[in-house]
Amino acid sequence: MPNLYHTTTLVQMDARLLRLKAFLVNAVLTEMEDQSTVHQNNREAVRLSLVEACERTKADLKPEERDRIVDSALADLIGYGPLDLLLPDGELSEIMVNGAKQIFVERNGELFETDVKFDNDDHLLRIIDRIVSPLGRRVDSDNPTADARLPDGSRVNVIIPPVAIDGPHLTIRKFLQTKITMDDLVSMGELTPHMAKFLEACVVTRLNILVTGNTSSGKTTVLNAISGFIPDRERIVTIEDAVELKLKQRHVVRLETKQPNVDGSGAVSVRELVRNALRMRPD
């Protein structure tokens, strides 16, 4: 039995409440013409429309039930559905959606199963489409995988049937705002002051350094910390599959690979970026 991660605002809705929520979402979309119009309205305006639509139904609801249904419908309309309950948690480093009814998170290096669920696979697919559409990407049976990035920088991977056998899967590697320095690593006991000085000497003397390890083992954290030793006077070019490095230096050029377009064209690989970087006078 996995550890459980409980949210504080979740309500498990029965079929009646789910139908009511779907009705409210459709009512507001109809009132505001389409989804793009909804996004142009501010959050409070959309919420007010949902409350008014709920009152028009004259449904027999307790006040807390109404608020929770409205909150859930609001997340479906202008947010990321039930993921809005998890994304603000700064202690989570990863969110793993294994189909509509099973969502795990990583917190302090440990996995927890959550009490958060999507209504069904169609609900999950709508949220996936909201994530990838602004990037000009499409996920369907012909293009069942995609990589994307949320506005806060969090990295997203999507894989759906027929490649994913048990339903759509969504993995979010959260972008952590706090940068851990080498001093932080020393104070946490991750390495000794002598090791930190040795790494500083390696960077300053321009030795090649390979940082390797399992997924979620702290490679990016270590690389960010080591990068703090790069002198400010040097020109730095970074090349990443998905941008995660947070360098403090002023003279930094960040390059990121590009996935192919729907027609298979337009991809930019790490190899091509390295070739270009060599022409950009990096130190």
Side-chain angles (χ1 to χ4, degrees):
M1 178 71 69
N3 294 329
L4 289 178
Y5 171 92
H6 294 287
T7 55
T8 58
T9 57
L10 180 71
V11 59
Q12 297 293 349
M13 291 185 282
D14 58 26
R16 178 180 70 94
L17 297 182
L18 287 175
R19 286 195 297 270
L20 178 57
K21 185 185 79 166
F23 173 81
L24 296 182
V25 169
N26 289 329
V28 171
L29 284 176
T30 301
E31 177 183 324
M32 296 184 174
E33 296 182 358
D34 59 36
Q35 189 96 10
S36 61
T37 306
V38 170
H39 283 291
Q40 292 169 9
N41 288 271
N42 65 53
R43 189 178 187 87
E44 286 307 311
V46 177
R47 181 181 176 82
L48 179 61
S49 296
L50 286 167
V51 170
E52 292 173 347
C54 188
E55 290 175 348
R56 289 196 298 269
T57 67
K58 300 189 182 302
D60 183 19
L61 296 172
K62 298 176 182 178
E64 60 270 20
E65 285 182 323
R66 187 206 65 178
D67 290 343
R68 288 166 177 167
I69 291 173
V70 167
D71 286 342
S72 182
L74 184 64
D76 284 355
L77 281 168
I78 63 175
Y80 298 113
L83 295 180
D84 280 4
L85 298 169
L86 301 173
L87 288 168
D89 190 334
E91 295 186 355
L92 301 184
S93 56
E94 201 106 22
I95 300 171
M96 295 148 278
V97 181
N98 301 338
K101 301 300 183 181
Q102 189 182 66
I103 301 178
F104 286 83
V105 295
E106 182 181 52
R107 188 179 192 179
N108 298 324
E110 188 175 359
L111 292 181
F112 297 84
E113 185 171 1
T114 76
D115 56 359
V116 180
K117 293 176 174 58
F118 285 84
D119 298 344
N120 47 48
D121 282 354
D122 287 341
H123 185 201
L124 173 53
L125 286 170
R126 288 198 300 274
I127 298 303
I128 288 174
D129 184 64
R130 181 170 302 158
I131 292 172
V132 302
S133 290
L135 303 175
R137 306 298 306 283
R138 186 182 74 218
V139 182
D140 54 30
S141 58
D142 293 328
N143 302 279
T145 67
D147 292 311
R149 189 165 56 243
L150 297 180
D152 70 352
S154 296
R155 189 176 65 195
V156 180
N157 175 263
V158 173
I159 185 164
I160 68 170
V163 178
I165 304 302
D166 299 318
H169 285 60
L170 174 67
T171 307
I172 301 175
R173 180 67 179 273
K174 291 196 56 194
F175 182 80
L176 302 180
Q177 299 295 330
T178 303
K179 179 181 176 181
I180 296 178
T181 66
M182 189 62 71
D183 288 340
D184 294 329
L185 293 178
V186 171
S187 66
M188 290 187 292
E190 298 295 332
L191 73 169
T192 66
H194 179 74
M195 294 166 65
K197 280 293 184 184
F198 173 74
L199 289 172
E200 180 179 8
C202 291
V203 173
V204 172
T205 56
R206 300 192 179 193
L207 298 183
N208 293 325
I209 300 175
L210 176 65
V211 180
T212 182
N214 294 332
T215 57
S216 297
S217 61
K219 297 185 298 295
T220 303
T221 298
V222 170
L223 190 53
N224 270 319
I226 292 174
S227 73
F229 296 135
I230 300 174
D232 287 332
R233 64 180 179 275
E234 297 194 347
R235 173 174 167 85
I236 304 166
V237 179
T238 67
I239 299 171
E240 302 178 74
D241 271 329
V243 170
E244 289 185 282
L245 295 175
K246 293 183 285 186
L247 276 62
K248 68 177 182 63
Q249 290 83 355
R250 179 170 175 77
H251 200 167
V252 178
V253 177
R254 301 192 301 166
L255 304 180
E256 183 181 48
T257 60
K258 179 181 179 298
Q259 297 292 319
N261 301 323
V262 174
D263 61 3
S265 65
V268 180
S269 67
V270 167
R271 180 182 294 273
E272 292 175 82
L273 292 179
V274 170
R275 185 182 301 116
N276 276 274
L278 294 176
R279 297 167 182 161
M280 298 172 67
R281 200 258 176 226
D283 284 311

